[in-house]
Amino acid sequence: MAEAVFRDLAEHQGVGPLIVSSSAGTGEWHVGERADERTLDALDRRGYDGSKHRAKQFTAASFEDNDLVVALDRTHERILREWARDGDHEGKVTLLLAYDRDADGLDVPDPYYADTAMFDGVLAMIETATRGLFRQLEPALRQSRTTPRSTPRI
């Protein structure tokens, strides 16, 4: 969900070509699979396209390929920090809900065992936090439009 929302926001703000973003889990159990059908339905109801998503696994080597690593909950944040080879890698890890000043906590709940309303609620949380994250990144992205540099990877 977060990847689809972030990509859509970047495209609508005219900075889509300036970023590379991808979603990856800490486990290997769904590698190559499409997103859960309920996730795709929730995205579709809000006008997002999640059809191209295929599950990938984040590894310790992935730190080299990313400028920012956004975790959706503290369990994944802890795992990612443990995988970090040094302070630079660890400093790339952040929680998505840290960018929502009004969030009740720091963990995006996993709606897998819940109903449609929970998928929609999780998507709403992700949308709000993603807008906050984008506001933090936008000045650097806008500067990238005028200054030739490498494309930020998120």
Side-chain angles (χ1 to χ4, degrees):
M1 284 184 176
E3 179 184 5
V5 171
F6 187 80
R7 284 180 184 267
D8 185 79
L9 182 58
E11 288 297 325
H12 279 94
Q13 295 296 321
V15 295
L18 300 177
I19 61 161
V20 175
S21 65
S22 63
S23 172
T26 56
E28 63 185 46
W29 42 90
H30 293 293
V31 170
E33 294 178 13
R34 291 173 42 100
D36 183 283
E37 204 59 43
R38 296 164 299 170
T39 295
L40 295 172
D41 290 345
L43 288 167
D44 187 58
R45 281 192 296 277
R46 297 289 277 249
Y48 301 107
D49 180 11
S51 65
K52 294 179 183 141
H53 173 78
R54 296 297 178 270
K56 297 179 280 291
Q57 183 179 11
F58 190 93
T59 66
S62 302
F63 281 104
E64 293 299 326
D65 297 331
N66 292 281
D67 297 310
L68 184 65
V69 178
V70 181
L72 270 60
D73 65 42
R74 287 173 288 182
T75 299
H76 291 118
E77 177 195 33
R78 181 182 40 77
I79 292 167
L80 291 165
R81 289 186 188 281
E82 288 173 2
W83 289 353
R85 292 188 180 127
D86 56 35
D88 182 49
H89 286 178
E90 189 173 347
K92 293 179 179 186
V93 179
T94 188
L95 282 162
L96 181 62
L97 287 187
Y99 297 94
D100 178 358
R101 287 181 255 141
D102 298 324
D104 290 332
L106 293 174
D107 295 333
V108 174
D110 183 351
Y112 189 78
Y113 294 103
D115 60 7
T116 299
M118 181 67 161
F119 277 82
D120 291 336
V122 165
L123 179 54
M125 293 171 74
I126 289 171
E127 287 175 317
T128 300
T130 300
R131 284 190 298 271
L133 169 60
F134 190 82
R135 278 192 299 276
Q136 292 289 314
L137 298 174
E138 192 172 26
L141 293 171
R142 298 267 180 227
Q143 182 179 1
S144 292
R145 283 181 143 169
T146 59
T147 307
R149 294 188 336 189
S150 63
T151 302
R153 297 183 64 90
I154 302 167

